[in-house]
Amino acid sequence: MPISNADVKVTLLRPFPMVGGVYNISSKLKIGVRNYSSSEPTHIVIQMPALSPTMSQGNIAKWRKKEGDKIEVGDVICEIETDKATVEFECLEEGFLAKILVPEGSKDVPVGQPIAITVEDPDDIANVPAVGGSEVKDNKENITQEDGAQESSSVNIKTSELPPHIVLNMPALSPTMNQGNIAKWREKEGDKIEVGDVICEIETDKATLEFESLEEGFLAKIVAPEGSKEVAVGQPIAITVEDPNDIEAVKTSVSGGVDVKEEKPVQRSITKEIKTQTSFTRISPAAKLLITEHGLDASSITATGPHSTLLKGDVLSAIKSGKGSARISEPEKSISPPPSPQTSTSSSASLGSKSYVQQADAHEDLPNSQIRKVIATRLLESKQHIPHLYLSTDVILDPLLSFRKELKAKYDVKVSVNDIVIKAVAIALRNVPEANGYWDAAKGEIILSDSVDISIAVATEKGLMTPIIRNADQKSISSISLEVKELAEKARAGKLKPNEFQGGTFSISNLGMFPVDNFCAIINPPQAGILAVGRGNQVVEPVVGDDGVEKPGVVTKMNLTLSADHRVFDGKVGGNFFASLRSNFSDIGRLLL
């Protein structure tokens, strides 16, 4: 029904992020419209709100209230899964939940679409309109989109022929995930699934995560087979049913499947055409000698001499510009001036053909994991968009090594140099809070972080992961050591949970176990700093003895290089950070305070 401005009243629902969410909404949201009509009871249409700047749709994770329930001010009526977190919705007006328009489990509900209707009088529940004055699309079992939208899947599901079922879609397991790979199916078609069972393993842009079932039933059809690559978020991957007798009906009604991209090492095809005629008819002795010495393909060099003569200068220009491609051939084969254009044509074409074939056979394409693709993109963006400031200093490592031996001898506590470095960096960040922040591009200002959360670079077979030691400044060195070992094992096994690698305020990359004296690391956005740690080296330098006299002495030094966002760090902040860090290394005892 048409609604005039005078007939509209906005109702408010307040969202509260659940524990483990990564997006915090503190403002109230206008998501409902009160309707007055002579033919319909007074009611409120609750719409899907935009809970984050990037949200265009959401999922109904769970309804806390059912139709007919009384709703008090402050009651949580449902949980909505956004592109950032799962958020609880709290009602600010009392009433009765008359109609749930979008059932539990509905996926990709557009922002602004009605999801429920409430009334003030319980007697009006039976008289509320079916769809609250606007058309509502049920997304729970819809696989294809409305007209004008692009199809994201080649799955052919005849919903009218299916028994009661649930379509499992590719979930968004991280804020930056828009597609994923099916690494492994833990259950097979026909298996019984209990609540909490791991159905499959999904490789995201961050890690390989387990996908658990939220309802019991039977796995009737696997739509996206094991090994499927780049399956879009929201695309169907499987279908479950409650009754095992319905499994065969689902199998026969569902045909097709997602496009599976098989990443096998392949050889690149050579599309360049081989020249059928040479660009010269004569060759000078000097040019001939250069071509032989450098193993060049003569047919690729342009002749500028009279009567199409290839000169020494032509060959030198080709070598300098890189146009003269190297020729892979036996040393005893020499290049001689072609007696005729026909002979030159056949010999050069044969030579060029062999060169192209051997170049095609000389390489192998290695497929990248989803993690490595994202790492490559983020590193490029970091270097392109973040003004990197580099600061470097050397610290004396001997007090740290002595402290480490003391812990082992007195308390039987074994910690690594990296564990102590993490603690020293965390204390320095706490003492210099200006260094523990990031740049907010939207606001154009620096945001200082309340906690000191250190990301540790861990090399895995699938790529570099950065698990996080949260509140590292408040933890003991032994606690940090245990946590680092546990997180590193999870990272290498691909079992990190999103909250264990998302976030962090500062990063550390340690190559001290390799013969690397120093290096410059790339900032991990949105963080503003990363510390590159080199190996310890023994050097001879003046040392002041107990008698106050300088004498040559051997000390162990370690290089630390800071890569910082110059929008957050200036020279003063970087200098203060290094001053605090050096003092932590010279007086290790202060790390225990």
Side-chain angles (χ1 to χ4, degrees):
M1 57 169 284
I3 302 175
S4 65
N5 292 337
D7 295 332
V8 176
K9 178 182 178 182
V10 173
T11 186
L12 300 174
L13 289 174
R14 184 170 58 221
F16 285 89
M18 302 179 66
V19 177
V22 296
Y23 195 81
N24 185 19
I25 306 292
S26 58
S27 61
K28 297 178 181 179
L29 303 170
K30 301 178 180 180
I31 60 170
V33 177
R34 185 185 297 272
N35 294 269
Y36 300 90
S37 171
S38 58
S39 59
E40 297 175 351
T42 302
H43 61 278
I44 298 173
V45 177
I46 300 175
Q47 301 170 346
M48 173 65 73
L51 302 177
S52 74
T54 59
M55 177 180 173
S56 59
Q57 56 190 17
N59 305 335
I60 303 296
K62 183 178 181 181
W63 281 99
R64 293 282 192 90
K65 297 290 184 179
K66 59 181 182 292
E67 292 182 355
D69 281 359
K70 179 77 169 66
I71 302 174
E72 301 288 346
V73 175
D75 284 355
V76 176
I77 60 172
C78 69
E79 298 173 9
I80 295 182
E81 182 183 359
T82 74
D83 59 340
K84 299 294 184 183
T86 300
V87 181
E88 294 180 342
F89 271 82
E90 187 179 300
C91 189
L92 297 183
E93 290 193 20
E94 63 180 14
F96 294 84
L97 184 58
K99 183 72 175 178
I100 293 177
L101 303 177
V102 180
E104 186 169 300
S106 297
K107 304 289 185 181
D108 303 334
V109 182
V111 169
Q113 177 174 313
I115 60 174
I117 299 175
T118 63
V119 294
E120 294 180 351
D121 190 340
D123 297 331
D124 293 334
I125 293 178
N127 301 321
V128 295
V131 292
S134 66
E135 216 169 315
V136 179
K137 180 177 68 176
D138 183 359
N139 291 334
K140 184 175 182 179
E141 297 178 357
N142 284 358
I143 304 303
T144 57
Q145 307 220 351
E146 293 292 322
D147 294 340
Q150 295 182 351
E151 292 184 356
S152 62
S153 169
S154 59
V155 182
N156 181 18
I157 300 179
K158 303 174 182 178
T159 55
S160 60
E161 301 176 8
L162 291 181
H165 64 281
I166 297 176
V167 176
L168 302 181
N169 296 328
M170 173 64 74
L173 301 177
S174 75
T176 59
M177 177 182 173
N178 53 26
Q179 58 188 15
N181 304 335
I182 304 295
K184 182 180 180 181
W185 280 100
R186 294 280 193 88
E187 305 286 349
K188 59 182 183 294
E189 292 183 356
D191 283 357
K192 178 75 168 68
I193 301 173
E194 302 290 345
V195 175
D197 284 355
V198 177
I199 305 175
C200 65
E201 297 177 8
I202 297 176
E203 184 187 46
T204 74
D205 57 344
K206 299 293 185 181
T208 300
L209 304 176
E210 296 177 339
F211 185 28
E212 296 183 358
S213 175
L214 299 180
E215 297 188 23
E216 64 179 12
F218 294 85
L219 183 57
K221 179 69 176 180
I222 293 176
V223 180
E226 188 171 298
S228 298
K229 304 290 184 181
E230 301 178 4
V231 182
V233 169
Q235 183 168 312
I237 60 174
I239 300 176
T240 63
V241 294
E242 296 181 358
D243 190 344
N245 298 323
D246 295 332
I247 294 176
E248 289 301 323
V250 171
K251 287 184 178 181
T252 56
S253 299
V254 178
S255 61
V258 298
D259 294 331
V260 180
K261 297 186 179 180
E262 296 184 359
E263 296 187 3
K264 297 181 179 179
V266 294
Q267 296 176 347
R268 297 177 182 173
S269 59
I270 306 299
T271 59
K272 295 183 179 179
E273 296 181 356
I274 301 175
K275 295 181 180 180
T276 59
Q277 292 187 356
T278 59
S279 56
F280 65 92
T281 56
R282 300 178 182 178
I283 184 169
S284 70
K288 176 183 176 182
L289 180 62
L290 283 173
I291 291 173
T292 303
E293 288 178 352
H294 292 274
L296 301 179
D297 181 6
S299 64
S300 64
I301 305 175
T302 303
T304 61
H307 305 292
S308 299
T309 302
L310 189 63
L311 304 176
K312 175 183 177 181
D314 300 331
V315 180
L316 292 175
S317 298
I319 294 174
K320 185 176 181 180
S321 62
K323 292 182 179 178
S325 56
R327 179 186 59 188
I328 306 175
S329 60
E330 289 78 14
E332 58 270 16
K333 290 187 177 180
S334 61
I335 299 177
S336 59
S340 65
Q342 291 80 5
T343 305
S344 174
T345 300
S346 61
S347 63
S348 61
S350 176
L351 180 61
S353 177
K354 290 181 179 179
S355 176
Y356 281 123
V357 170
Q358 290 177 358
Q359 287 179 20
D361 291 338
H363 76 280
E364 181 181 4
D365 292 339
L366 295 177
N368 256 338
S369 66
Q370 194 71 12
I371 295 175
R372 287 191 183 276
K373 291 179 182 178
V374 173
I375 291 173
T377 301
R378 287 174 61 84
L379 290 180
L380 179 62
E381 290 176 351
S382 177
K383 290 293 288 184
Q384 287 179 330
H385 300 296
I386 298 179
H388 281 56
L389 169 68
Y390 301 103
L391 302 173
S392 182
T393 189
D394 291 330
V395 295
I396 297 178
L397 207 55
D398 297 292
L400 183 150
L401 298 177
S402 299
F403 176 69
R404 185 167 169 251
K405 291 180 180 178
E406 184 180 352
L407 288 177
K408 175 64 177 174
K410 290 185 177 181
Y411 307 103
D412 196 27
V413 176
K414 187 176 181 180
V415 297
S416 67
V417 172
N418 194 55
D419 300 330
I420 304 176
V421 170
I422 294 172
K423 179 67 173 180
V425 170
I427 296 297
L429 290 172
R430 185 180 67 187
N431 295 336
V432 187
E434 296 85 1
N436 191 43
Y438 65 94
W439 179 259
D440 190 325
K443 297 181 179 179
E445 60 186 23
I446 300 171
I447 306 296
L448 299 182
S449 302
D450 296 330
S451 60
V452 179
D453 304 327
I454 305 295
S455 300
I456 308 300
V458 177
T460 70
E461 292 182 358
K462 294 184 177 180
L464 193 69
M465 297 297 297
T466 53
I468 302 169
I469 308 296
R470 300 193 182 275
N471 299 309
D473 59 318
Q474 303 175 17
K475 295 179 178 178
S476 65
I477 297 175
S478 58
S479 297
I480 291 175
S481 179
L482 292 174
E483 193 169 343
V484 167
K485 292 176 183 176
E486 179 183 349
L487 290 174
E489 289 177 0
K490 285 186 175 181
R492 295 187 180 100
K495 302 299 182 183
L496 284 176
K497 298 178 181 178
N499 64 301
E500 293 175 328
F501 60 80
Q502 292 176 3
T505 62
F506 193 89
S507 293
I508 297 176
S509 181
N510 191 343
L511 294 181
M513 66 290 299
F514 300 104
V516 177
D517 294 328
N518 56 74
F519 66 102
C520 297
I522 300 177
I523 297 171
N524 181 25
Q527 298 175 9
I530 180 171
L531 188 70
V533 182
R535 67 173 176 174
N537 290 305
Q538 289 187 333
V539 298
V540 178
E541 66 175 31
V543 177
V544 179
D546 296 334
D547 55 0
V549 179
E550 283 190 354
K551 300 178 181 179
V554 178
V555 298
T556 305
K557 282 192 170 183
M558 181 175 68
N559 179 264
L560 304 176
T561 302
L562 173 68
S563 302
D565 187 340
H566 211 337
R567 297 170 298 183
V568 178
F569 281 74
D570 55 19
K572 181 181 178 181
V573 173
N576 290 339
F577 171 73
F578 264 147
S580 178
L581 188 58
R582 284 174 64 92
S583 64
N584 291 339
F585 279 97
S586 60
D587 184 11
I588 295 295
R590 63 190 295 159
L591 300 181
L592 302 177
L593 300 178

